[in-house]
Amino acid sequence: FSRLIVGFYIGLESPSWDAATLALINMVTPKRAYCQAHGIEITEAQWPSHHLPDQLLCDRGEMVGYNASNLVKHLGVQIKNAPPYRADWKGIVERNFRLMNREIHWLPGAVLGPKERGTRDTRLDAALTLSEFRAIMIWCIWEHNNYHRMPWFELDEEMIRDRVLPFPVDLWRWGAQH
């Protein structure tokens, strides 16, 4: 609804239940302390998400099986898995991957396209630690949540009356109240 990015995780392991769990933990954790741990000062109002959702739309892989069943059973979170090869069913998430990728493509080590035979592997130029990369992603998410204006978002009559602006954080706050 709001397009607010509610959490993330960056690590070196392959996609797995453990990595998904760390992303879920970030989703339900207040973000001010997390950002402070990475040297970034924000207010709670700038990233107000720290809630357990009613349902998750997932990509199958990590959210199929025993662990996902326990999530449903013990926390009451409904898991909805998109069919394989149907990125279009998760368009908002896939679009955000593209937007974030565009924001970080100036960094050393960025893969700029298919590697041609005999050309230098740009990944060898990577110069950031995971912590530094997380901090950059926090800034990208903060900017998206607070300054990504969505002029195409159709505000209803109540939102117009309440003077809601079409930014993810404003829509999130309004939605949480109503």
Side-chain angles (χ1 to χ4, degrees), residues 31-62:
K31 304 306 183 290
R32 187 164 183 241
Y34 179 77
C35 291
Q36 282 177 330
H38 289 87
I40 299 169
E41 291 294 328
I42 67 165
T43 65
E44 187 66 31
Q46 291 174 320
W47 199 350
S49 60
H50 51 85
H51 307 84
L52 192 62
D54 292 330
Q55 61 181 277
L56 292 169
L57 175 59
C58 303
D59 209 5
R60 294 190 57 84
E62 298 83 20

mmCIF file of all heavy atoms in Angstrom, residues 31-62:
data_model
loop_
_atom_site.group_PDB
_atom_site.id
_atom_site.type_symbol
_atom_site.label_atom_id
_atom_site.label_comp_id
_atom_site.label_asym_id
_atom_site.label_seq_id
_atom_site.Cartn_x
_atom_site.Cartn_y
_atom_site.Cartn_z
ATOM 1 N N LYS A 31 14.026 0.807 13.817
ATOM 2 C CA LYS A 31 15.166 1.091 12.936
ATOM 3 C C LYS A 31 16.135 2.134 13.480
ATOM 4 O O LYS A 31 17.275 2.199 13.045
ATOM 5 C CB LYS A 31 14.668 1.563 11.563
ATOM 6 C CG LYS A 31 13.709 0.605 10.870
ATOM 7 C CD LYS A 31 14.267 -0.793 10.740
ATOM 8 C CE LYS A 31 13.357 -1.727 9.998
ATOM 9 N NZ LYS A 31 12.148 -2.106 10.683
ATOM 10 N N ARG A 32 15.720 2.950 14.439
ATOM 11 C CA ARG A 32 16.618 4.008 14.932
ATOM 12 C C ARG A 32 17.901 3.418 15.496
ATOM 13 O O ARG A 32 19.003 3.851 15.136
ATOM 14 C CB ARG A 32 15.906 4.855 15.973
ATOM 15 C CG ARG A 32 16.707 6.052 16.381
ATOM 16 C CD ARG A 32 15.850 7.073 17.106
ATOM 17 N NE ARG A 32 16.686 8.221 17.386
ATOM 18 C CZ ARG A 32 16.937 8.657 18.593
ATOM 19 N NH1 ARG A 32 16.400 8.060 19.646
ATOM 20 N NH2 ARG A 32 17.712 9.704 18.779
ATOM 21 N N ALA A 33 17.794 2.424 16.365
ATOM 22 C CA ALA A 33 18.989 1.809 16.961
ATOM 23 C C ALA A 33 19.813 1.078 15.904
ATOM 24 O O ALA A 33 21.048 1.112 15.944
ATOM 25 C CB ALA A 33 18.587 0.849 18.076
ATOM 26 N N TYR A 34 19.153 0.426 14.955
ATOM 27 C CA TYR A 34 19.862 -0.274 13.882
ATOM 28 C C TYR A 34 20.685 0.717 13.068
ATOM 29 O O TYR A 34 21.851 0.477 12.757
ATOM 30 C CB TYR A 34 18.870 -1.019 12.987
ATOM 31 C CG TYR A 34 19.519 -1.758 11.844
ATOM 32 C CD1 TYR A 34 20.161 -2.967 12.049
ATOM 33 C CD2 TYR A 34 19.517 -1.227 10.559
ATOM 34 C CE1 TYR A 34 20.777 -3.642 10.998
ATOM 35 C CE2 TYR A 34 20.124 -1.892 9.507
ATOM 36 C CZ TYR A 34 20.749 -3.108 9.740
ATOM 37 O OH TYR A 34 21.369 -3.755 8.702
ATOM 38 N N CYS A 35 20.080 1.846 12.732
ATOM 39 C CA CYS A 35 20.790 2.863 11.952
ATOM 40 C C CYS A 35 21.938 3.458 12.768
ATOM 41 O O CYS A 35 23.029 3.683 12.234
ATOM 42 C CB CYS A 35 19.823 3.949 11.506
ATOM 43 S SG CYS A 35 18.637 3.369 10.264
ATOM 44 N N GLN A 36 21.716 3.705 14.050
ATOM 45 C CA GLN A 36 22.785 4.230 14.909
ATOM 46 C C GLN A 36 23.979 3.282 14.936
ATOM 47 O O GLN A 36 25.124 3.724 14.930
ATOM 48 C CB GLN A 36 22.276 4.447 16.330
ATOM 49 C CG GLN A 36 21.456 5.696 16.500
ATOM 50 C CD GLN A 36 20.901 5.830 17.906
ATOM 51 O OE1 GLN A 36 20.640 4.848 18.595
ATOM 52 N NE2 GLN A 36 20.711 7.074 18.328
ATOM 53 N N ALA A 37 23.729 1.992 14.950
ATOM 54 C CA ALA A 37 24.813 1.005 14.951
ATOM 55 C C ALA A 37 25.655 1.093 13.689
ATOM 56 O O ALA A 37 26.797 0.630 13.668
ATOM 57 C CB ALA A 37 24.238 -0.402 15.110
ATOM 58 N N HIS A 38 25.100 1.693 12.639
ATOM 59 C CA HIS A 38 25.824 1.873 11.381
ATOM 60 C C HIS A 38 26.234 3.332 11.172
ATOM 61 O O HIS A 38 26.544 3.739 10.043
ATOM 62 C CB HIS A 38 24.982 1.353 10.206
ATOM 63 C CG HIS A 38 24.878 -0.128 10.200
ATOM 64 N ND1 HIS A 38 23.920 -0.804 10.904
ATOM 65 C CD2 HIS A 38 25.665 -1.067 9.626
ATOM 66 C CE1 HIS A 38 24.103 -2.101 10.734
ATOM 67 N NE2 HIS A 38 25.151 -2.284 9.974
ATOM 68 N N GLY A 39 26.204 4.124 12.255
ATOM 69 C CA GLY A 39 26.668 5.506 12.194
ATOM 70 C C GLY A 39 25.711 6.479 11.549
ATOM 71 O O GLY A 39 26.113 7.553 11.114
ATOM 72 N N ILE A 40 24.430 6.133 11.507
ATOM 73 C CA ILE A 40 23.431 6.984 10.854
ATOM 74 C C ILE A 40 22.369 7.364 11.873
ATOM 75 O O ILE A 40 21.788 6.500 12.529
ATOM 76 C CB ILE A 40 22.788 6.244 9.659
ATOM 77 C CG1 ILE A 40 23.865 5.900 8.625
ATOM 78 C CG2 ILE A 40 21.669 7.072 9.042
ATOM 79 C CD1 ILE A 40 23.407 4.959 7.550
ATOM 80 N N GLU A 41 22.143 8.680 12.007
ATOM 81 C CA GLU A 41 21.136 9.182 12.936
ATOM 82 C C GLU A 41 19.830 9.454 12.197
ATOM 83 O O GLU A 41 19.814 10.202 11.221
ATOM 84 C CB GLU A 41 21.617 10.472 13.604
ATOM 85 C CG GLU A 41 22.761 10.282 14.567
ATOM 86 C CD GLU A 41 22.386 9.468 15.805
ATOM 87 O OE1 GLU A 41 21.229 9.543 16.263
ATOM 88 O OE2 GLU A 41 23.268 8.738 16.297
ATOM 89 N N ILE A 42 18.773 8.798 12.624
ATOM 90 C CA ILE A 42 17.435 9.067 12.087
ATOM 91 C C ILE A 42 16.479 9.194 13.262
ATOM 92 O O ILE A 42 16.806 8.799 14.390
ATOM 93 C CB ILE A 42 16.945 7.953 11.131
ATOM 94 C CG1 ILE A 42 16.713 6.636 11.888
ATOM 95 C CG2 ILE A 42 17.880 7.762 9.963
ATOM 96 C CD1 ILE A 42 15.898 5.612 11.134
ATOM 97 N N THR A 43 15.309 9.718 12.991
ATOM 98 C CA THR A 43 14.255 9.726 14.009
ATOM 99 C C THR A 43 13.355 8.516 13.763
ATOM 100 O O THR A 43 13.336 7.963 12.654
ATOM 101 C CB THR A 43 13.404 11.012 13.922
ATOM 102 O OG1 THR A 43 12.710 11.016 12.668
ATOM 103 C CG2 THR A 43 14.276 12.253 14.057
ATOM 104 N N GLU A 44 12.623 8.130 14.766
ATOM 105 C CA GLU A 44 11.692 7.004 14.621
ATOM 106 C C GLU A 44 10.661 7.308 13.527
ATOM 107 O O GLU A 44 10.243 6.417 12.797
ATOM 108 C CB GLU A 44 10.998 6.722 15.954
ATOM 109 C CG GLU A 44 10.149 5.486 15.972
ATOM 110 C CD GLU A 44 10.940 4.196 15.818
ATOM 111 O OE1 GLU A 44 12.100 4.136 16.261
ATOM 112 O OE2 GLU A 44 10.386 3.231 15.255
ATOM 113 N N ALA A 45 10.275 8.581 13.395
ATOM 114 C CA ALA A 45 9.273 8.970 12.402
ATOM 115 C C ALA A 45 9.780 8.821 10.968
ATOM 116 O O ALA A 45 8.981 8.700 10.046
ATOM 117 C CB ALA A 45 8.837 10.420 12.642
ATOM 118 N N GLN A 46 11.093 8.808 10.771
ATOM 119 C CA GLN A 46 11.643 8.696 9.417
ATOM 120 C C GLN A 46 11.655 7.259 8.906
ATOM 121 O O GLN A 46 11.796 7.032 7.710
ATOM 122 C CB GLN A 46 13.056 9.277 9.376
ATOM 123 C CG GLN A 46 13.068 10.777 9.549
ATOM 124 C CD GLN A 46 14.473 11.316 9.656
ATOM 125 O OE1 GLN A 46 15.351 10.734 10.288
ATOM 126 N NE2 GLN A 46 14.699 12.451 9.021
ATOM 127 N N TRP A 47 11.560 6.283 9.806
ATOM 128 C CA TRP A 47 11.473 4.869 9.403
ATOM 129 C C TRP A 47 10.654 4.144 10.477
ATOM 130 O O TRP A 47 11.179 3.437 11.309
ATOM 131 C CB TRP A 47 12.861 4.265 9.257
ATOM 132 C CG TRP A 47 12.922 3.011 8.437
ATOM 133 C CD1 TRP A 47 11.873 2.259 7.969
ATOM 134 C CD2 TRP A 47 14.100 2.342 7.998
ATOM 135 N NE1 TRP A 47 12.327 1.182 7.266
ATOM 136 C CE2 TRP A 47 13.700 1.208 7.267
ATOM 137 C CE3 TRP A 47 15.466 2.586 8.154
ATOM 138 C CZ2 TRP A 47 14.613 0.327 6.705
ATOM 139 C CZ3 TRP A 47 16.355 1.705 7.594
ATOM 140 C CH2 TRP A 47 15.934 0.587 6.873
ATOM 141 N N PRO A 48 9.341 4.366 10.464
ATOM 142 C CA PRO A 48 8.493 3.935 11.577
ATOM 143 C C PRO A 48 8.085 2.458 11.583
ATOM 144 O O PRO A 48 7.295 2.045 12.432
ATOM 145 C CB PRO A 48 7.258 4.823 11.402
ATOM 146 C CG PRO A 48 7.182 5.047 9.926
ATOM 147 C CD PRO A 48 8.612 5.118 9.459
ATOM 148 N N SER A 49 8.612 1.662 10.687
ATOM 149 C CA SER A 49 8.150 0.268 10.598
ATOM 150 C C SER A 49 8.925 -0.647 11.534
ATOM 151 O O SER A 49 10.140 -0.708 11.490
ATOM 152 C CB SER A 49 8.286 -0.228 9.160
ATOM 153 O OG SER A 49 9.637 -0.158 8.760
ATOM 154 N N HIS A 50 8.193 -1.315 12.385
ATOM 155 C CA HIS A 50 8.759 -2.338 13.265
ATOM 156 C C HIS A 50 7.620 -3.253 13.717
ATOM 157 O O HIS A 50 7.422 -3.498 14.889
ATOM 158 C CB HIS A 50 9.493 -1.711 14.462
ATOM 159 C CG HIS A 50 8.679 -0.700 15.207
ATOM 160 N ND1 HIS A 50 7.793 -1.050 16.196
ATOM 161 C CD2 HIS A 50 8.611 0.642 15.086
ATOM 162 C CE1 HIS A 50 7.208 0.040 16.667
ATOM 163 N NE2 HIS A 50 7.690 1.077 16.006
ATOM 164 N N HIS A 51 6.912 -3.746 12.727
ATOM 165 C CA HIS A 51 5.686 -4.496 13.002
ATOM 166 C C HIS A 51 5.695 -5.841 12.289
ATOM 167 O O HIS A 51 6.326 -6.004 11.254
ATOM 168 C CB HIS A 51 4.481 -3.689 12.528
ATOM 169 C CG HIS A 51 4.449 -2.302 13.087
ATOM 170 N ND1 HIS A 51 5.154 -1.270 12.508
ATOM 171 C CD2 HIS A 51 3.842 -1.790 14.165
ATOM 172 C CE1 HIS A 51 4.956 -0.164 13.210
ATOM 173 N NE2 HIS A 51 4.161 -0.459 14.217
ATOM 174 N N LEU A 52 4.947 -6.760 12.837
ATOM 175 C CA LEU A 52 4.752 -8.063 12.216
ATOM 176 C C LEU A 52 3.545 -7.960 11.283
ATOM 177 O O LEU A 52 2.476 -7.518 11.695
ATOM 178 C CB LEU A 52 4.495 -9.115 13.300
ATOM 179 C CG LEU A 52 4.549 -10.570 12.903
ATOM 180 C CD1 LEU A 52 5.954 -10.918 12.404
ATOM 181 C CD2 LEU A 52 4.208 -11.443 14.097
ATOM 182 N N PRO A 53 3.682 -8.336 10.034
ATOM 183 C CA PRO A 53 2.556 -8.213 9.101
ATOM 184 C C PRO A 53 1.550 -9.347 9.273
ATOM 185 O O PRO A 53 1.845 -10.366 9.902
ATOM 186 C CB PRO A 53 3.245 -8.315 7.736
ATOM 187 C CG PRO A 53 4.401 -9.210 7.995
ATOM 188 C CD PRO A 53 4.881 -8.871 9.391
ATOM 189 N N ASP A 54 0.395 -9.168 8.682
ATOM 190 C CA ASP A 54 -0.611 -10.232 8.649
ATOM 191 C C ASP A 54 -0.213 -11.305 7.646
ATOM 192 O O ASP A 54 -0.506 -12.469 7.834
ATOM 193 C CB ASP A 54 -1.988 -9.678 8.263
ATOM 194 C CG ASP A 54 -2.563 -8.773 9.331
ATOM 195 O OD1 ASP A 54 -2.269 -8.982 10.519
ATOM 196 O OD2 ASP A 54 -3.320 -7.850 8.967
ATOM 197 N N GLN A 55 0.422 -10.871 6.531
ATOM 198 C CA GLN A 55 0.819 -11.824 5.507
ATOM 199 C C GLN A 55 2.081 -11.358 4.790
ATOM 200 O O GLN A 55 2.398 -10.171 4.777
ATOM 201 C CB GLN A 55 -0.301 -12.069 4.499
ATOM 202 C CG GLN A 55 -0.742 -10.857 3.725
ATOM 203 C CD GLN A 55 -1.857 -11.183 2.776
ATOM 204 O OE1 GLN A 55 -1.597 -11.661 1.672
ATOM 205 N NE2 GLN A 55 -3.088 -10.931 3.184
ATOM 206 N N LEU A 56 2.777 -12.318 4.226
ATOM 207 C CA LEU A 56 3.978 -12.061 3.430
ATOM 208 C C LEU A 56 3.782 -12.660 2.047
ATOM 209 O O LEU A 56 3.361 -13.808 1.931
ATOM 210 C CB LEU A 56 5.198 -12.727 4.071
ATOM 211 C CG LEU A 56 5.690 -12.189 5.408
ATOM 212 C CD1 LEU A 56 6.727 -13.132 5.997
ATOM 213 C CD2 LEU A 56 6.269 -10.803 5.238
ATOM 214 N N LEU A 57 4.083 -11.883 1.010
ATOM 215 C CA LEU A 57 4.117 -12.419 -0.353
ATOM 216 C C LEU A 57 5.574 -12.776 -0.619
ATOM 217 O O LEU A 57 6.443 -11.914 -0.561
ATOM 218 C CB LEU A 57 3.621 -11.392 -1.373
ATOM 219 C CG LEU A 57 3.723 -11.823 -2.833
ATOM 220 C CD1 LEU A 57 2.924 -13.092 -3.097
ATOM 221 C CD2 LEU A 57 3.269 -10.702 -3.746
ATOM 222 N N CYS A 58 5.834 -14.042 -0.855
ATOM 223 C CA CYS A 58 7.211 -14.538 -0.938
ATOM 224 C C CYS A 58 7.527 -15.127 -2.303
ATOM 225 O O CYS A 58 6.673 -15.279 -3.150
ATOM 226 C CB CYS A 58 7.438 -15.596 0.143
ATOM 227 S SG CYS A 58 7.093 -14.974 1.792
ATOM 228 N N ASP A 59 8.788 -15.505 -2.405
ATOM 229 C CA ASP A 59 9.361 -15.964 -3.656
ATOM 230 C C ASP A 59 9.516 -17.480 -3.693
ATOM 231 O O ASP A 59 10.351 -17.977 -4.416
ATOM 232 C CB ASP A 59 10.746 -15.301 -3.775
ATOM 233 C CG ASP A 59 11.154 -15.091 -5.203
ATOM 234 O OD1 ASP A 59 10.350 -15.354 -6.097
ATOM 235 O OD2 ASP A 59 12.295 -14.668 -5.407
ATOM 236 N N ARG A 60 8.799 -18.179 -2.894
ATOM 237 C CA ARG A 60 8.868 -19.631 -2.734
ATOM 238 C C ARG A 60 10.136 -20.065 -2.014
ATOM 239 O O ARG A 60 10.095 -20.312 -0.842
ATOM 240 C CB ARG A 60 8.710 -20.374 -4.062
ATOM 241 C CG ARG A 60 7.348 -20.211 -4.671
ATOM 242 C CD ARG A 60 7.118 -21.115 -5.843
ATOM 243 N NE ARG A 60 7.286 -22.516 -5.563
ATOM 244 C CZ ARG A 60 6.370 -23.314 -5.044
ATOM 245 N NH1 ARG A 60 5.210 -22.823 -4.723
ATOM 246 N NH2 ARG A 60 6.614 -24.581 -4.852
ATOM 247 N N GLY A 61 11.256 -20.122 -2.655
ATOM 248 C CA GLY A 61 12.499 -20.671 -2.149
ATOM 249 C C GLY A 61 12.634 -20.775 -0.644
ATOM 250 O O GLY A 61 12.551 -21.849 -0.060
ATOM 251 N N GLU A 62 12.839 -19.645 0.032
ATOM 252 C CA GLU A 62 13.100 -19.646 1.466
ATOM 253 C C GLU A 62 11.839 -19.855 2.296
ATOM 254 O O GLU A 62 11.914 -20.238 3.454
ATOM 255 C CB GLU A 62 13.748 -18.317 1.899
ATOM 256 C CG GLU A 62 15.079 -18.034 1.269
ATOM 257 C CD GLU A 62 14.960 -17.424 -0.120
ATOM 258 O OE1 GLU A 62 13.896 -16.874 -0.456
ATOM 259 O OE2 GLU A 62 15.933 -17.519 -0.875
#
